[in-house]
Amino acid sequence: MIDKNGLLDILHKIDLELKNKITIVAVGGTAMTLLGIKESTKDIDFNIPSHNDYNEFERVIKEIKFNIKIDYYEQNMIFSESLPDDYLKIAIKYKSKFDKIELYILNPIDIVCSKIGRLSDSDIEDIKQCIKYYKLTKSQIKERGMLYNDAGNDEWYHDNLETALAILF
């Protein structure tokens, strides 16, 4: 498990090794930890909107050997979900002192909708926390969730969306 300070330490180490400025978006438990919704996360997950930024991030991750799993997804993908086109526009810019990393945090509505794709027990607990912390409504989640696509099976995602809404509201 890694807490907010640990996440920021890892990002600082990455920042020092980058050759170019990059934009990254914290997603999943990483986003929830940076937002203060969770105290820690078991792994680190990022979305990297730009192909060039993705390549630069990957170069640094391969150079530095961290003792925690770091997953990163290119363009508008996280896990098997395709994020809506405006995800970066509504993401929360994280104020940091990094020289080369521009850090965003996935908007809580997108944290919820991206966790619906897998909908494990831990995802349901995370979703409940986001709903409570940000006072998200059933209609907000349904409207946003309808913009999501699953790389494997859109019907499966939308079935999970209906199941999640039934469980949570």
Side-chain angles (χ1 to χ4, degrees):
M1 299 297 279
I2 188 162
D3 65 8
K4 183 177 182 176
N5 289 331
L7 287 170
L8 294 173
D9 285 346
I10 286 173
L11 287 168
H12 178 73
K13 288 175 184 170
I14 293 168
D15 189 64
L16 291 173
E17 298 300 320
L18 291 167
K19 293 179 182 172
N20 310 312
K21 288 189 179 246
I22 66 169
T23 298
I24 62 175
V25 183
V27 302
T30 304
M32 293 178 70
T33 301
L34 290 172
L35 288 171
I37 301 170
K38 291 177 78 163
E39 288 196 27
S40 62
T41 183
K42 63 180 181 246
D43 59 7
I44 302 173
D45 297 303
F46 294 110
N47 163 267
I48 306 173
S50 157
H51 180 69
N52 290 337
D53 291 358
Y54 179 89
N55 289 339
E56 175 65 0
F57 186 85
E58 185 173 54
R59 180 191 66 77
V60 172
I61 291 298
K62 287 181 177 178
E63 280 182 17
I64 303 173
K65 304 295 183 219
F66 293 105
N67 291 332
I68 189 165
K69 184 178 179 194
I70 301 175
D71 291 319
Y72 45 99
Y73 307 90
E74 191 174 3
Q75 297 173 349
N76 71 328
M77 296 298 294
I78 57 171
F79 314 110
S80 65
E81 277 71 55
S82 173
L83 296 165
D85 292 338
D86 66 346
Y87 80 98
L88 186 56
K89 191 181 301 183
I90 68 168
I92 300 164
K93 184 161 183 173
Y94 190 84
K95 292 181 182 169
S96 69
K97 295 181 178 163
F98 300 128
D99 290 325
K100 295 184 180 141
I101 294 175
E102 185 171 36
L103 178 61
Y104 288 84
I105 302 171
L106 198 63
N107 188 289
I109 192 75
D110 284 323
I111 294 171
V112 167
C113 290
S114 62
K115 286 184 167 288
I116 286 172
R118 189 173 63 179
L119 206 58
S120 69
D121 290 343
S122 64
D123 290 322
I124 291 169
E125 289 308 309
D126 287 349
I127 291 167
K128 286 178 181 177
Q129 287 182 283
C130 281
I131 289 170
K132 181 180 177 183
Y133 200 87
Y134 285 95
K135 297 176 176 47
L136 299 173
T137 66
K138 181 178 184 177
S139 62
Q140 287 174 309
I141 296 168
K142 183 168 186 164
E143 182 179 330
R144 188 70 177 170
M146 295 305 290
L147 300 175
Y148 272 67
N149 295 307
D150 186 273
N153 186 338
D154 286 342
E155 186 176 326
W156 181 70
Y157 177 86
H158 293 288
D159 287 347
N160 274 5
L161 175 60
E162 292 303 321
T163 299
L165 294 173
I167 292 169
L168 299 165
F169 293 96

